[in-house]
Amino acid sequence: MEGTANYVPVIGYLSETPLLSEFMLIDIGCSGGIDAVWRGFGPQLRALAIDPNVAEIEWLRSSETNPEVQYLAAFAGLPANHPFSLRKAGRDPFERNPWTRLSVVKSLELMKSRRQTLPPELGALNAGMLAPDTKISKEVIAVPAYLQDSEIHSVDFLKIDVDGPDFEILNSFDSALETLGVLGVGIEVSYFGSAADTDYTFHNVDRFMKASGFELFGTTVRRYSLAALPAPYVSNFPAETDFGRPLLGDALYVRDLGRHEHDEFAAQLPLAKLLNLICIFAAFNLPDCAAEIALRFRDRLGNACDVERILDLLAAQAQGPIEQPLTYREYLRRFESHDPMFFSPISACTAAEYELACLRDAAAEIERERDEYAAREQAAQAELEQTRQNLRTVLEEARQARDDHA
């Protein structure tokens, strides 16, 4: 999933506290393996990873070193009698799909016509062109029911990325998000689609998650150009492009326990779940949100871990992997003093333009003052001339009066 952080020191610290006994991850569409950020939990990581590609699952299973990470070759689906299935009733979930008009499709067609090998990075992007010998599982499961049968009663993070019925799978968790105490959800979304409430679109996912008590904390956008004017590909294989319409992306939803309206839900959470929530925020490079949780529940967490240490590690993440990061308190002090570290430096070009603009303003001000001075000088000269004229008149009148008297 896109958007995860490379430097998350707080996970390493919290995973070693006795209170955090496990972090439960459900990864639906695990081709390529679970995201590296979760490996920071070490032996405390527990995961169920699901994908229909049998060979991929077998390879992942043989490469896994953590016995608490399990792999299952299966499709995730939705029971036929589920309300969402009944509403959809065979309707195309990808209406207004521009896929056939994209440059990526043109490239794939050209590669196929030339009998070129398709890059493995394409994954399920073009499922119809998978190798004929690719073994796909025929098993279809409703994941919440499978979790219940497997006696998994608590989930911290749910990831869904199956390049297709992601929204359908999400709907299978309509009540399970609450009963399993899910804290965060990462899901691939489509930025195209109709107004139908069964389309696999971002707006439908967002509406569903908001109704389930989650807030949007992150999105990514992958652009795909049209074949009418192809853009350069971002990678060395046909897929996302430098420019083009927003087609797909990943959305991150997390329970916003910083809001008081979620106090009842938060009160029921074990302390370990609060620590896991801090880790989820940090994992997606949201140390600010993690710090808010640490501060808000400081009294509850204080007996189990060093909250000040948590804040220091989150402040370190905010500063990046430097040798001597500021402590949380010093970081805040710098912010409150308007330290330059919180303001983007002006580029050399921008600085030169700014200096030139300042010089122009100064020159204009000097010109204005010169004009004002010239006007005042002209008025003074006129006033002086009038005074002289008045004096001449007075003197002339005085002479005339003297002559008359003589």
Side-chain angles (χ1 to χ4, degrees), residues 98-114 116 118 126 129 224-231 233 238-239:
W99 178 251
T100 57
R101 297 151 51 203
L102 302 180
S103 58
V104 61
V105 173
K106 183 67 173 178
S107 288
L108 293 174
E109 290 173 349
L110 290 171
M111 292 175 70
K112 186 177 180 180
S113 67
R114 295 165 185 167
Q116 292 177 291
L118 294 177
N126 191 48
M129 300 178 79
Y224 286 74
S225 64
L226 296 173
L229 184 61
Y233 290 116

Side-chain angles (χ1 to χ4, degrees), residues 38-59:
W38 307 123
R39 297 293 181 178
F41 286 98
Q44 273 62 49
L45 175 63
R46 187 182 177 196
L48 174 64
I50 304 169
D51 197 274
N53 189 322
V54 175
E56 178 72 8
I57 288 295
E58 290 177 351
W59 180 82

Side-chain angles (χ1 to χ4, degrees), residues 14-230:
L14 289 179
S15 65
E16 294 177 355
T17 62
L19 180 62
L20 200 158
S21 58
E22 75 171 30
F23 182 93
M24 186 68 210
L25 167 71
I26 304 298
D27 188 336
I28 304 174
C30 67
S31 179
I34 63 177
D35 288 312
V37 70
W38 307 123
R39 297 293 181 178
F41 286 98
Q44 273 62 49
L45 175 63
R46 187 182 177 196
L48 174 64
I50 304 169
D51 197 274
N53 189 322
V54 175
E56 178 72 8
I57 288 295
E58 290 177 351
W59 180 82
L60 291 171
R61 188 180 291 139
S62 65
S63 305
E64 184 58 59
T65 58
N66 184 346
E68 295 301 323
V69 176
Q70 302 296 313
Y71 295 92
L72 175 66
F75 282 98
L78 194 62
N81 61 350
H82 189 279
F84 182 85
S85 298
L86 297 176
R87 287 204 319 275
K88 189 161 74 78
R91 181 187 178 94
D92 182 4
F94 293 108
E95 289 196 11
R96 303 182 185 176
N97 189 349
W99 178 251
T100 57
R101 297 151 51 203
L102 302 180
S103 58
V104 61
V105 173
K106 183 67 173 178
S107 288
L108 293 174
E109 290 173 349
L110 290 171
M111 292 175 70
K112 186 177 180 180
S113 67
R114 295 165 185 167
R115 304 195 179 197
Q116 292 177 291
T117 302
L118 294 177
E121 293 88 349
L122 289 177
L125 184 63
N126 191 48
M129 300 178 79
L130 287 174
D133 58 347
T134 301
K135 186 178 180 181
I136 300 297
S137 174
K138 296 181 180 180
E139 183 179 4
V140 180
I141 63 169
V143 178
Y146 183 90
L147 296 177
Q148 185 176 9
D149 293 341
S150 302
E151 297 187 352
I152 297 175
H153 305 298
S154 176
V155 171
D156 295 302
F157 193 81
L158 168 65
K159 173 233 163 182
I160 305 173
D161 183 357
V162 297
D163 299 303
D166 301 68
F167 187 46
E168 185 173 308
I169 296 169
L170 180 63
N171 271 269
S172 71
F173 282 86
D174 48 4
S175 61
L177 291 176
E178 183 77 19
T179 58
L180 292 170
V182 178
L183 301 174
V185 176
I187 182 170
E188 186 177 53
V189 294
S190 301
Y191 293 115
F192 62 87
S194 73
D197 65 357
T198 54
D199 271 13
Y200 300 165
T201 57
F202 170 66
H203 60 265
N204 282 337
V205 170
D206 191 65
R207 186 183 299 112
F208 179 95
M209 295 305 299
K210 297 288 178 62
S212 300
F214 291 77
E215 294 294 334
L216 179 67
F217 277 90
T219 56
T220 64
V221 175
R222 296 191 288 280
R223 298 182 178 277
Y224 286 74
S225 64
L226 296 173
L229 184 61

